[in-house]
Amino acid sequence: MDTVEGADPAALTEQQREIRRTLRDLLDRHTGPPATPAPQGYDPALWARMAGELGLTRLALPEEYGGTGHGTPELALACEETGRALAPSPLLATSVLTAPLVAALGTPAQRAELLPRIADATLTCALAVPGGSLGHALGLTGDNTTGAWSGDGRAGGVQARPAPDGDWLLYGEAEQVLDGHSAGLLLVAAHTGGYARSRTLLYLVRPQDAGPGLVRTRRAGLDPTRSPARVQLRDVPATLLGEDPADPADITRALAAAGRTAAVLLAAEATGAARGALERARGHLRSHPADGSPRPAPHRLADLYVQVEAARTLTYCAAREPGPGPESGPLALAQALDALRAAAGEAVPAPDAHPYVRRAAADELLFGPAGRLRARAAERTGLLGEAAA
């Protein structure tokens, strides 16, 4: 269990090993139990080093927009290390959930304006969907083409109507928006067209231009290293993401592809957290605590190690899949969440286990649960009959 650079399922290049070594060293020196939480929900100085010196925000973006074009495997390595340290950062909300949608759906002008700012970490983003149904919106736990995840145009959610100046006005609210209280750009899913012709489209909201109609409230969540927020919009000005008229089918396809990639990166975070939990358990086993607290049995640690490494192998296999959104991403996430929950619940003595248990529970609430991830993956791949959309 000591090996970091040993038999690695990712078959790391030297550049990938350097990313891992450098990021691990940085996080080991600068993360730990939080004292007073920063208003942003993360340490801005640490984030500046992660994004600036290490270039994490550039990894999966095209070179034409200031990225390095490396892709999912390299970003998975970074997410595994941030997961191991349980390090709060806007990487998930900005680079994993929002940037791929801007890249896939934005107009040339929108991509040219926003993606270079994401790449150089001068812009953080958040994806806001109504009802807190992020896993469904991303196609991970249900069919996102039905519109059920966004209310089908009925009461609730967020409604969009044309503004006199040619843009749009948004009215409604979204719960559980990761980093929604501090992000410099909101990407909001909203209905337009009324009930009979309702369509769910994506809109760009710039908080600095939103006026008093935008109210963002940071909420206490299960996991203090995640920062959920309630975003309330009262006739807030917005711009449609992409060309007008936008095709809702393009949007649901882009959401699903982004969701499958996000599942891989969340799985990398979860396996990193599980490995961190096992490291703590092993340290506790060696320390012979004088207080008589129970220690994990060595044979059970070995079983858990096998479970975690199996999830990690599946994660990196999914990360290397070609195409728009790896099909095995949701399965990798389900396995990783199971492994994290087992490692935290069985290996780490309380209260050390609490941060890992909270991370697993919070991610299942937002993106799972694991059983539904597996069921939806089976539907998509046709294991339960005809393949789903």
Side-chain angles (χ1 to χ4, degrees), residues 19 25-26 28-29 33 74 86 115 119 133 146 179 193 213 216 253 272 306 362 370 388:
I19 291 173
D25 178 65
L26 177 66
D28 283 346
R29 285 187 285 111
E74 284 76 9
L86 296 179
L115 293 179
S133 52
T146 66
D179 292 338
R216 304 190 287 172
R253 280 193 294 267
V306 171

Side-chain angles (χ1 to χ4, degrees), residues 6 28 35 74 85 124 133 184 192 211 226 243 251 261 272 304 377:
D28 283 346
E74 284 76 9
T124 58
S133 52
T192 186
R226 301 286 197 212
E243 303 288 352
I251 291 169
T261 300
L304 291 170

Side-chain angles (χ1 to χ4, degrees), residues 67-348:
T68 60
H70 286 309
T72 305
E74 284 76 9
L75 194 51
L77 284 172
C79 288
E80 184 182 352
E81 291 305 315
T82 60
R84 173 182 170 271
L86 296 179
S89 83
L91 186 67
L92 173 59
T94 298
S95 298
V96 176
L97 295 177
T98 308
L101 294 170
V102 174
L105 298 171
T107 65
Q110 288 169 341
R111 294 196 298 268
E113 175 200 356
L114 299 174
L115 293 179
R117 295 176 60 200
I118 293 173
D120 66 16
T122 58
L123 179 67
T124 58
C125 310
L127 175 62
V129 301
S133 52
L134 191 54
H136 197 169
L138 295 171
L140 297 176
T141 57
D143 180 4
N144 70 350
T145 65
T146 66
W149 59 272
S150 56
D152 285 311
R154 297 173 175 82
V158 182
Q159 307 296 323
R161 60 183 177 86
D165 62 3
D167 272 338
W168 297 81
L169 295 174
L170 303 187
Y171 193 99
E173 68 179 51
E175 303 277 353
Q176 303 298 325
V177 181
L178 287 176
D179 292 338
H181 67 292
S182 61
L185 178 74
L186 299 175
L187 183 56
V188 182
H191 297 287
T192 186
Y195 174 68
R197 301 174 55 200
S198 175
R199 301 175 296 154
T200 300
L201 305 178
L202 294 176
Y203 297 85
L204 299 167
V205 172
R206 294 168 170 81
Q208 69 272 20
D209 301 326
L214 177 64
V215 178
R216 304 190 287 172
T217 307
R218 185 179 178 186
R219 308 180 69 184
L222 277 174
D223 179 7
T225 68
R226 301 286 197 212
S227 295
R230 175 189 290 118
V231 175
Q232 297 170 299
L233 307 110
R234 302 292 183 264
D235 288 334
V236 169
T239 304
L240 181 69
L241 178 66
E243 303 288 352
D244 192 5
D247 185 347
D250 290 341
I251 291 169
T252 54
R253 280 193 294 267
L255 281 165
R260 294 193 295 274
T261 300
V264 173
L265 300 171
L266 284 160
E269 270 199 348
T271 55
R275 296 184 99 205
L278 289 180
E279 288 173 10
R280 286 217 181 181
R282 186 186 56 201
H284 190 73
L285 185 65
R286 292 173 173 173
S287 66
H288 303 290
D291 61 4
S293 59
R295 291 176 291 164
H299 72 275
R300 185 54 186 149
L301 279 185
D303 290 342
L304 291 170
Y305 175 72
V306 171
Q307 183 179 357
V308 171
E309 288 303 299
R312 186 166 175 258
T313 298
L314 180 57
T315 296
Y316 281 102
C317 286
R320 294 195 300 272
E321 281 185 28
E327 290 292 340
S328 56
L331 287 175
L333 178 56
Q335 293 294 102
L337 289 174
D338 283 346
L340 174 55
R341 190 170 53 250
E346 299 183 47
V348 185

